Amino acid sequence: MGTDPSNSFITKFHEELKQNMSSFPVKVGEIEGSGPFRKRYDSYFLDNNKWSLDKIGRIKQFRNMVKNSPTIRKNIKFEFKEPALNLEVKYIFYHRLFNNRWKVTTMFQSIQNPVRRLTEFMNEYKPDKKSFLQLDIKLTEEEYVLWLQKKGIKTKRLKRRQPPHNDVEFHTSVASILRMVYEELAKMANLEQPKEWKKDIWDVRNLHAAYGIEYNKTVSEYIIDFNRIVMPGVREEVKKYFKERLLSKHKFAWGTSKNYITVLSQFFRFIHKLNPKWRDIRGLKRHHIVKYIEYLHTYITKRKGEKSNPEMSVAKALVIVEKFIYDIQRYGYKIAPKIDVKYLLFPEDIPRSKRKSIHQIDYIPEFVLKQLFKHIKGLHPDVTAVIMIAYKTGLRVSDILTLKTNCLIKLNDQFWLEADIRKSNIIGHRIPIDEHLVEVIESVLERRRDIFNPDQFLFVKTKGNKKGEPINQTYIRAHLKAYAEQNHIEDESGRPFHFRTHQFRHTFAMKMLNGGADLLTVQDMMGHSYPESTLTYVKILDETKRHVFDSVIQKGEFGI
């Protein structure tokens, strides 16, 4: 089926939606989990354009959800002038509710403003449309976003990230609702969609399914938006470059591509301001790069501050730009500069990062650890388990959250934890663990019995539209932050202590070295590719030695 469906196709599609909405599944019995269910023939959701929270609360599987939801709305309305559009949007609500992809708080609260704005737009500008599938989605989305902006409604949001990571820009929910509705309906109708590479917005989940492109499932950064490349004539070439690099699977993972799009969109935006008529960068010269370097230093220092090590961010941006230009010249891209990159950007342009002192190694002091473990039972059991694994193995949280249910290995009556180290590309990495950690992991396994878990993750989401996927890193950080605030965890100076999940990895390395472990053993346990990474912690060991030596001197052991 093509992407411009006929009237007869739309009519048939709508009949299928009506048939599906003429009943709904109702849970049988009191057992928690995904079933069993029986079909109830009740066309309430089909017949009514006003849905009651009370009605949903009387459906068995939603009783507790409604009872525990802090929603202020008791009803939701579907108010498209065209009844067929009402049907389509109602079906999305119906489908997401009964497939456990939306909570009632989403339906009755957070999604309501985006739907209201979409309703206003469609009623005013597309009153003749009988289906969202009849829209030219790219053109209509541009019209919709412009309409929102004219009304003073925010269409972009910036996710601030700590250096050296780049900030990430997203569409707001009110701006993305049209695309969500269209794509959901297109999927339901089995419309043929363009290949992901031809789109201006790529979703790594689609690339993973089609081409095996790997990504970190513990962070919700699935999208690359090439609309951020503002220079005309360049966007398609940049997409081609990303496609070739991703398919090569050589030092260009999805996370790397996210960094590239942030830097390159900024670079092309800057060049476009200097030369608004350019449709490529063939005329790029040294003086353009000099101005860009000056801009980077000013912009990054102003936005992130001198204490954030701006040299690292500037260096990262310049390395990406240099690599991109080098590659497109080597590949013969038509947008590539005529001047060789080695005459555009010199090695001395890239600043050297400041070395961290021993006081900047981000580990958790013993004074803080005691406070953490004093009240740790107040944390959610999954969060507690993640923290204990990080503390006792040094694994990155991203690798912990993708542990499988068969991660416990017993050899010669002793237990090991088996994990895949994504950053170092190590499969089946084994770390010795103690009996306490074995008990922690076994308690997690006990809670994971008889739940939907197709990929057998140790830490898995049990509800919502991402049910069956690993728990998100943001979830762990949010719980840890709230826990620290509630229990007033402070450093020795009396200042609130701000936990970062990676601190547990640094703390593990420090404790191993201070406990007498040799450097090579710690390197292997940490999964470091190079010993230089592990040597960082030796500086902490030297400081510990200094404290021990000073205490001996103070006792007069070397008195003369």
Side-chain angles (χ1 to χ4, degrees):
M1 181 60 62
T3 54
D4 185 19
S6 64
N7 288 335
S8 61
F9 176 84
I10 294 297
T11 300
K12 183 178 179 181
F13 175 56
H14 287 167
E15 288 302 317
E16 290 176 358
L17 300 186
K18 291 176 183 177
Q19 179 66 30
N20 290 338
M21 290 182 72
S22 64
S23 62
F24 53 82
V26 177
K27 191 173 181 180
V28 177
E30 301 295 336
I31 300 173
E32 291 292 330
S34 56
F37 292 90
R38 63 176 176 80
K39 184 181 288 188
R40 176 183 293 175
Y41 291 94
D42 182 339
S43 58
Y44 172 84
F45 296 103
L46 172 63
D47 298 337
N48 293 282
N49 291 331
K50 179 180 176 181
W51 293 0
S52 164
L53 182 65
D54 182 61
K55 169 69 176 181
I56 293 174
R58 291 199 294 270
I59 300 173
K60 197 165 192 177
Q61 62 264 37
F62 303 126
R63 284 177 187 169
N64 289 335
M65 187 190 296
V66 171
K67 182 180 179 181
N68 298 323
S69 295
T71 177
I72 58 173
R73 282 189 176 89
K74 298 301 179 187
N75 300 286
I76 52 175
K77 296 179 180 179
F78 302 89
E79 299 181 301
F80 292 93
K81 291 179 180 178
E82 170 54 54
L85 298 186
N86 258 350
L87 171 67
E88 290 182 344
V89 173
K90 285 198 301 184
Y91 187 76
I92 290 174
F93 273 62
Y94 165 90
H95 185 264
R96 289 197 165 209
L97 174 66
F98 284 98
N99 283 276
N100 207 12
R101 293 178 63 192
W102 272 354
K103 297 179 180 179
V104 292
T105 47
T106 303
M107 286 180 55
F108 282 76
Q109 285 298 120
S110 55
I111 202 66
Q112 282 304 302
N113 183 53
V115 170
R116 180 169 63 86
R117 294 298 184 182
L118 179 60
T119 304
E120 291 175 14
F121 173 78
M122 294 297 292
N123 287 345
E124 183 176 351
Y125 288 95
K126 307 290 179 181
D128 58 326
K129 293 297 180 183
K130 304 294 183 183
S131 172
F132 283 96
L133 298 178
Q134 294 175 329
L135 299 173
D136 179 331
I137 186 58
K138 185 174 181 180
L139 178 61
T140 306
E141 187 174 42
E142 290 173 356
E143 294 172 346
Y144 175 57
V145 170
L146 182 62
W147 177 80
L148 290 171
Q149 291 170 345
K150 286 181 178 179
K151 288 182 170 290
I153 299 170
K154 193 174 181 180
T155 59
K156 299 275 189 178
R157 65 183 177 90
L158 192 67
K159 180 181 179 181
R160 295 286 186 186
R161 303 175 72 190
Q162 292 294 320
H165 303 291
N166 293 306
D167 295 341
V168 183
E169 193 174 49
F170 296 93
H171 283 293
T172 60
S173 58
V174 72
S176 59
I177 184 71
L178 174 61
R179 172 74 62 170
M180 184 276 283
V181 167
Y182 177 86
E183 291 187 348
E184 185 114 349
L185 291 169
K187 186 176 181 180
M188 292 172 179
N190 294 318
L191 287 184
E192 181 182 338
Q193 294 294 301
K195 289 185 177 180
E196 202 72 13
W197 305 123
K198 293 185 178 181
K199 299 177 184 177
D200 286 335
I201 299 176
W202 293 357
D203 188 322
V204 70
R205 292 166 293 190
N206 297 335
L207 294 176
H208 175 74
Y211 307 101
I213 304 298
E214 295 295 336
Y215 65 101
N216 187 347
K217 296 180 176 64
T218 69
V219 292
S220 302
E221 295 182 1
Y222 308 121
I223 302 299
I224 287 182
D225 187 353
F226 290 96
N227 292 304
R228 297 166 66 183
I229 305 294
V230 297
M231 185 178 288
V234 168
R235 186 181 302 158
E236 290 302 318
E237 292 287 275
V238 173
K239 286 166 60 179
K240 183 171 76 170
Y241 175 78
F242 274 57
K243 176 184 175 181
E244 291 181 5
R245 292 291 308 275
L246 283 168
L247 286 175
S248 74
K249 300 181 182 179
H250 179 70
K251 296 183 179 180
F252 199 78
W254 183 254
T256 307
S257 69
K258 296 283 289 183
N259 291 333
Y260 265 61
I261 193 64
T262 300
V263 171
L264 292 179
S265 60
Q266 180 193 56
F267 172 70
F268 283 116
R269 191 161 52 244
F270 177 81
I271 297 300
H272 184 58
K273 286 183 179 178
L274 290 181
N275 304 278
K277 293 184 180 180
W278 280 15
R279 298 186 64 82
D280 53 47
I281 53 173
R282 295 182 68 201
L284 194 69
K285 292 182 170 59
R286 169 67 183 170
H287 69 87
H288 297 123
I289 296 295
V290 171
K291 289 181 179 179
Y292 175 61
I293 293 171
E294 181 183 357
Y295 160 77
L296 277 179
H297 280 279
T298 304
Y299 169 75
I300 290 175
T301 301
K302 182 179 179 180
R303 184 169 64 87
K304 297 188 177 182
E306 294 183 5
K307 293 183 179 180
S308 67
N309 197 356
E311 290 85 0
M312 181 185 291
S313 298
V314 172
K316 182 178 179 180
L318 292 177
V319 166
I320 287 175
V321 169
E322 180 185 39
K323 173 64 175 170
F324 173 75
I325 295 175
Y326 171 78
D327 284 342
I328 63 174
Q329 288 181 334
R330 189 160 55 99
Y331 300 161
Y333 280 29
K334 61 184 180 182
I335 65 167
K338 294 178 181 178
I339 299 175
D340 194 300
V341 67
K342 65 183 178 183
Y343 299 117
L344 293 174
L345 215 161
F346 304 146
E348 57 267 29
D349 291 331
I350 300 174
R352 295 179 65 180
S353 296
K354 296 175 183 177
R355 295 189 61 161
K356 289 184 177 181
S357 74
I358 54 175
H359 303 291
Q360 292 177 298
I361 304 297
D362 201 13
Y363 68 98
I364 305 172
E366 200 67 34
F367 181 82
V368 175
L369 284 173
K370 289 179 180 178
Q371 298 173 70
L372 171 66
F373 294 129
K374 182 179 179 181
H375 304 289
I376 198 165
K377 290 185 178 179
L379 274 169
H380 187 283
D382 283 344
V383 180
T384 301
V386 169
I387 288 172
M388 293 309 303
I389 294 172
Y391 175 65
K392 291 197 171 191
T393 67
L395 284 171
R396 296 177 183 88
V397 169
S398 58
D399 293 328
I400 294 172
L401 293 176
T402 51
L403 287 170
K404 298 300 182 75
T405 53
N406 62 351
C407 62
L408 273 182
I409 306 295
K410 192 173 184 179
L411 295 172
N412 300 322
D413 292 325
Q414 293 180 316
F415 281 95
W416 301 68
L417 186 68
E418 187 170 272
D420 295 338
I421 312 297
R422 294 182 68 253
K423 189 172 183 178
S424 305
N425 199 27
I426 301 173
I427 305 299
H429 181 67
R430 289 182 179 178
I431 306 168
I433 58 175
D434 62 15
E435 289 294 332
H436 172 254
L437 194 55
V438 171
E439 292 174 4
V440 169
I441 295 170
E442 286 179 339
S443 68
V444 177
L445 290 169
E446 183 64 30
R447 294 195 300 274
R448 293 293 174 263
R449 288 186 179 180
D450 303 322
I451 64 166
F452 180 73
N453 191 6
D455 294 319
Q456 297 301 304
F457 289 114
L458 182 64
F459 299 101
V460 66
K461 295 180 180 179
T462 58
K463 296 179 180 179
N465 63 334
K466 295 181 180 178
K467 181 171 64 174
E469 294 183 11
I471 291 174
N472 196 284
Q473 292 183 44
T474 304
Y475 175 84
I476 303 297
R477 287 195 292 267
H479 274 264
L480 193 54
K481 180 177 182 290
Y483 167 84
E485 292 172 352
Q486 290 166 5
N487 291 282
H488 307 289
I489 295 181
E490 300 173 337
D491 61 20
E492 291 187 81
S493 302
R495 294 172 298 190
F497 189 84
H498 302 287
F499 285 101
R500 284 177 286 277
T501 52
H502 206 68
Q503 292 168 324
F504 291 97
R505 180 170 171 81
H506 296 317
T507 304
F508 171 80
M510 182 200 72
K511 284 185 169 292
M512 288 298 297
L513 287 167
N514 287 353
D518 65 89
L519 196 64
L520 288 176
T521 299
V522 176
Q523 178 189 342
D524 180 76
M525 293 179 74
M526 298 283 286
H528 284 153
S529 299
Y530 306 101
E532 289 80 5
S533 301
T534 317
L535 278 170
T536 304
Y537 304 106
V538 175
K539 298 171 186 176
I540 301 176
L541 181 61
D542 289 340
E543 187 180 57
T544 305
K545 289 177 181 178
R546 179 78 244 181
H547 286 312
V548 172
F549 178 74
D550 288 345
S551 67
V552 172
I553 293 296
Q554 288 170 10
K555 292 177 181 177
E557 295 293 335
F558 293 94
I560 297 175

